[in-house]
Amino acid sequence: MTPDEIGNIIRIARKAQGLRQDELAAAANVGVRFLIELEAGKKTAQLGKTLSVLTALGIDISMTAPDGTI
């Protein structure tokens, strides 16, 4: 998954929930500028803040190790 794809998923979920960027930013305790950049696919977005945004939207993520052990 790319930063652009993550940003697009966040934007789609935010709009589907009827949230403005400032509302989501407040719910996730991040700045509006951060959210704007995240939705635009910023490659250097902070992981902790990104996870806060995903949590605020109710989006779960999962990872699988290459050997399938996780």
Side-chain angles (χ1 to χ4, degrees):
M1 181 161 289
T2 68
D4 287 329
E5 291 170 328
I6 293 170
N8 192 45
I9 289 167
I10 289 169
R11 181 175 35 263
I12 290 168
R14 174 180 61 77
K15 289 182 177 184
Q17 294 180 31
L19 295 170
R20 296 186 318 259
Q21 287 178 323
D22 63 320
E23 293 171 325
L24 176 56
N29 199 30
V30 300
V32 175
R33 171 60 60 200
F34 173 81
L35 184 58
I36 290 168
E37 292 174 350
L38 181 62
E39 287 187 356
K42 183 176 181 183
K43 292 171 181 35
T44 58
Q46 293 179 32
L47 179 58
K49 288 182 178 182
T50 301
L51 293 173
S52 293
V53 171
L54 293 170
T55 298
L57 287 168
I59 297 174
D60 293 323
I61 60 170
S62 64
M63 297 187 299
T64 304
D67 63 3
T69 59
I70 298 176

